[in-house]
Amino acid sequence: MLKLPSVPGATPPRPGTPAAEPKTKLDNAAEAATAALGWLDERTALSGTARFVMFRKVPKGTNWFYTLGTSTMFAFMSQVITGVILAMFYDPSPNRAYESMRYINNDVWAGQFVHGMHRWGATVMVIFIFLHMGRTFFFGAYKYPRELNWVIGVLLVLLVMIMAFTGYLLPWDQRAYWATAVGVNIFASAPIAGPYLGDFLRAGPDFGATTLSRFYSIHMLVLPGLIMGLIGAHLYLVIKHGTTAPPWVTAELDEELRSEEV
Amino acid sequence: MTGLANGGGGIAIGMIAVPALGFALAPNLDKKPLAWEAVGTPEEFSQDTYVSRTITLTPGAGETGKSTVYMRARNAEIDKEPVDDYNQFIAISTRCMHLGCPVRYVDASERFICPCHGGVYDFLGQVQGGPPVRPLDRFYTRIKDGLVEVGPRFSVNSELKRFSPRDPAQDLDGIGQYLFPSRPTIRKLPGT
Ligand code: HEM
Ligand code: FES
């Protein structure tokens, strides 16, 4: 059985224990918090799960490269938060999109900053996801029994690329427009399916009023939902399996076990 | 009982999935109305150079829905395609047939040049250099009430034979026309 450390202060003092010292305000606050958590835990039994998730054993040799997955997740969370704020001001109609971006950058308080975080954050997330992918590849962490997590990771990397593609159109300036026109035509250059895919992405044969809203809906509703779901599955498997030791860490042989084997 | 519950669930899922998918895919099946747009009187277009005109490709999208076309009068010496009602005037699309950047006509060299990856087209819009896979698209033109009108787009292969409009990067020579099927929604005009 996996032995889990107890959460400090999780068990309230037994009734009837004589108080050694008069309680301070801090003690009272701690007791109230413990009681509230205890109330919640009694009804959800979440503390076991929380401990299981947070106090996992990690293999010897775990190093900074193991933080790249969490960094990707952090970048994603930052994209979600800044994206939600941008959506409060952005208007995905062809006549208003560019104007609303200008308004965000020039007039909204900290608008340029939030926009910049979202724009640079997108690049950061793509860089992190590839570094993380490289880490799991070079550490051999994709091997049995973690193949499924690699497959989920490949789906995530694809979704993140589509995220970047659909987001690039939204500023609706000359660069966004022509870069996306070229991008859609690259999709459309696939034989047989290409022409239909191009029309699907553009919502018709030409860029039009609904192209932008289509990209916007994919960018801010469809993909974030899918990515959140897949990150959930990804982390579930990470916790279920535990992480891999680096390839240069080998198991120590127990001489006693070896002698019994013979 | 289980069968009934599963069937009911299936119907419920279908009731959501079918309209949702249909909604997303509808633009692939929407027929585009034929639109003709007057761009000037016949005297405005000469045989030996292009002038630019702005037409609306997509109504309702403001400036974004507009596009430049390069226009000239037909010149029997160089335009060898059979004459009909739709090519008294030549209207060349600015959409590069590599990946769709906007080409511009350069008078000094009598060529169309693409800013993106170096595509070059000659005076007829045929590929002279760079990555484009076929000549520049054209638009049907006609004369109505004394004005030149620009109509729907069509694509051409390397012999300038008309095809239903295709996206850039879709080759129309050899098996290209079968690898890149035309859309059901916009076709070349019947009999052309
Ligand atoms: C949104 C994108 C992603 C997020 C948020 C994410 C998050 C994480 C986290 C937090 C871990 C724990 C260990 C660590 O950080 O190294 C992990 C492990 C792992 N990830 Fe990802 N990941 C993402 C994308 C990917 C991609 C693109 C791949 C590969 C194609 C991948 C493959 C793996 C594998 C195989 C493990 C297990 C590592 C081990 O057992 O040591 N992940 N992921
Ligand atoms: S888009 Fe014109 S050369 Fe590439």
Side-chain angles (χ1 to χ4, degrees):
Chain A
M1 240 332 262
L2 189 61
K3 248 198 160 168
L4 298 165
S6 58
V7 176
T11 33
R14 293 218 185 101
T17 329
E21 280 169 48
K23 281 183 192 163
T24 64
K25 274 187 181 158
L26 202 63
D27 290 335
N28 282 335
E31 217 166 275
T34 315
L37 282 180
W39 186 91
L40 199 66
D41 193 33
E42 209 172 320
R43 283 151 187 85
T44 59
L46 271 178
S47 70
T49 314
R51 262 181 291 164
F52 186 70
V53 168
M54 290 195 291
F55 299 95
R56 278 172 294 131
K57 296 209 160 153
V58 295
K60 269 206 190 91
T62 297
N63 55 42
W64 281 101
F65 291 113
Y66 286 71
T67 58
L68 288 166
T70 315
S71 310
T72 315
M73 189 165 67
F74 185 80
F76 177 68
M77 275 154 39
S78 160
Q79 290 306 94
V80 169
I81 293 166
T82 51
V84 166
I85 299 173
L86 286 174
M88 294 173 179
F89 297 97
Y90 178 72
D91 181 350
S93 72
N95 292 322
R96 291 272 314 134
Y98 180 73
E99 281 307 313
S100 69
M101 284 315 301
R102 247 187 27 182
Y103 177 69
I104 289 172
N105 284 334
N106 299 346
D107 298 325
V108 178
W109 187 83
Q112 197 173 25
F113 181 69
V114 172
H115 179 203
M117 277 177 73
H118 200 73
R119 190 157 196 142
W120 289 96
T123 310
V124 167
M125 182 171 172
V126 171
I127 292 172
F128 274 150
I129 200 172
F130 277 108
L131 289 178
H132 171 62
M133 193 170 170
R135 194 291 277 175
T136 51
F137 179 74
F138 286 114
F139 282 32
Y142 56 86
K143 291 180 191 169
Y144 177 84
R146 300 186 177 81
E147 299 98 323
L148 185 59
N149 227 11
W150 177 266
V151 171
I152 294 174
V154 170
L155 291 178
L156 278 169
V157 93
L158 286 177
L159 292 179
V160 169
M161 297 317 284
I162 306 176
M163 200 73 179
F165 178 65
T166 49
Y168 205 87
L169 178 66
L170 304 182
W172 205 237
D173 53 13
Q174 288 288 330
R175 173 162 50 177
Y177 181 92
W178 291 109
T180 308
V182 166
V184 170
N185 285 328
I186 294 176
F187 278 100
S189 68
I192 315 291
Y196 304 104
L197 193 56
D199 278 17
F200 169 74
L201 285 171
R202 272 184 306 244
D206 295 297
F207 268 58
T210 46
T211 311
L212 184 56
S213 42
R214 178 167 289 238
F215 270 59
Y216 187 50
S217 146
I218 294 174
H219 182 77
M220 58 100 74
L221 295 171
V222 180
L223 292 180
L226 288 176
I227 291 178
M228 280 179 205
L230 285 176
I231 290 181
H234 197 68
L235 293 186
Y236 169 79
L237 286 181
V238 167
I239 289 162
K240 202 80 184 164
H241 292 144
T243 46
T244 333
W248 57 83
V249 174
T250 44
E252 282 163 28
L253 284 179
D254 189 326
E255 288 303 325
E256 219 174 296
L257 273 180
R258 184 185 259 179
S259 61
E260 272 169 28
E261 245 170 55
V262 180
Chain B
M1 189 57 208
T2 320
L4 208 64
N6 286 343
I11 291 171
I13 291 171
M15 276 167 67
I16 298 172
V18 171
L21 276 182
F23 205 71
L25 294 176
N28 277 43
L29 303 169
D30 261 349
K31 267 223 154 32
K32 248 194 125 181
L34 275 191
W36 292 86
E37 197 173 336
V39 291
T41 58
E43 302 78 55
E44 292 173 37
F45 307 106
S46 85
Q47 287 192 344
D48 30 52
T49 189
Y50 286 94
V51 290
S52 64
R53 289 288 181 271
T54 305
I55 61 164
T56 300
L57 292 183
T58 326
E63 285 299 312
T64 319
K66 294 183 184 156
S67 177
T68 303
V69 285
Y70 284 110
M71 308 240 349
R72 65 177 167 86
R74 180 188 162 82
N75 181 344
E77 274 173 39
I78 52 170
D79 294 311
K80 298 298 180 200
E81 319 88 78
V83 195
D84 61 19
D85 293 344
Y86 302 115
N87 61 8
Q88 299 299 319
F89 294 87
I90 310 291
I92 303 259
S93 155
T94 48
R95 182 177 292 168
C96 180
M97 285 302 129
H98 174 222
L99 288 171
C101 284
V103 300
R104 75 183 187 288
Y105 178 68
V106 179
D107 216 359
S109 61
E110 302 192 332
R111 281 177 178 79
F112 295 89
I113 310 239
C114 179
C116 286
H117 321 99
V120 178
Y121 306 83
D122 69 9
F123 192 73
L124 295 177
Q126 281 175 314
V127 182
Q128 274 212 320
V133 296
R134 61 169 206 260
L136 291 170
D137 280 358
R138 298 179 170 203
F139 292 90
Y140 289 103
T141 57
R142 69 177 183 197
I143 300 183
K144 200 167 178 217
D145 304 330
L147 290 176
V148 179
E149 290 188 337
V150 173
R153 171 193 295 275
F154 61 89
S155 295
V156 292
N157 69 0
S158 59
E159 277 129 41
L160 299 182
K161 187 171 157 326
R162 287 184 181 125
F163 284 86
S164 295
R166 305 294 208 283
D167 278 338
Q170 302 182 356
D171 197 352
L172 280 176
D173 292 314
I175 62 163
Q177 57 175 305
Y178 307 109
L179 285 183
F180 301 109
S182 61
R183 357 173 125 73
T185 52
I186 35 171
R187 324 278 322 176
K188 62 179 178 173
L189 294 182
T192 59

